[in-house]
Amino acid sequence: MSASNENGSRSGQRAGVFDVRQVIAALFVLYGLVCTLMGLFGTSSREIDQAAGVNINLWSGIGMLIFAGSFILWGWLRPIVVPTDSESESS
């Protein structure tokens, strides 16, 4: 059960960087940037022809960046709240 204050909102300390969603988002941003840049600057027309005419690096990189953005937004809108020591003792 989560601790709440007089207003009904949860109180405590936010998990911040220790939230696993932020770590996952950071990895997807890194890989997404690499794939997007490879799609923009490192893909030849021969490679695109081999992939049925689709610049797969570009599209997968954009997809990863969108996925990372959704994880960042999720962590920002619904942060994990860790109860403080005084709250856990009183419960």
Side-chain angles (χ1 to χ4, degrees), residues 12-91:
Q13 186 176 0
R14 292 178 59 167
V17 202
F18 300 109
D19 188 356
V20 71
R21 296 174 293 188
Q22 303 304 319
V23 174
I24 293 170
L27 289 172
F28 270 96
V29 165
L30 178 68
Y31 291 132
L33 284 174
V34 168
C35 284
T36 302
L37 292 174
M38 287 300 296
L40 289 173
F41 303 113
T43 306
S44 66
S45 60
R46 181 177 162 266
E47 292 170 332
I48 292 174
D49 290 340
Q50 285 180 338
V54 176
N55 191 342
I56 195 68
N57 283 335
L58 178 64
W59 287 108
S60 63
I62 290 171
M64 287 184 210
L65 291 174
I66 291 170
F67 186 73
S70 67
F71 263 64
I72 292 169
L73 185 64
W74 179 24
W76 183 65
L77 292 175
R78 306 244 351 204
I80 293 178
V81 178
V82 180
T84 58
D85 290 337
S86 61
E87 290 173 354
S88 62
E89 291 173 1
S90 65
S91 296

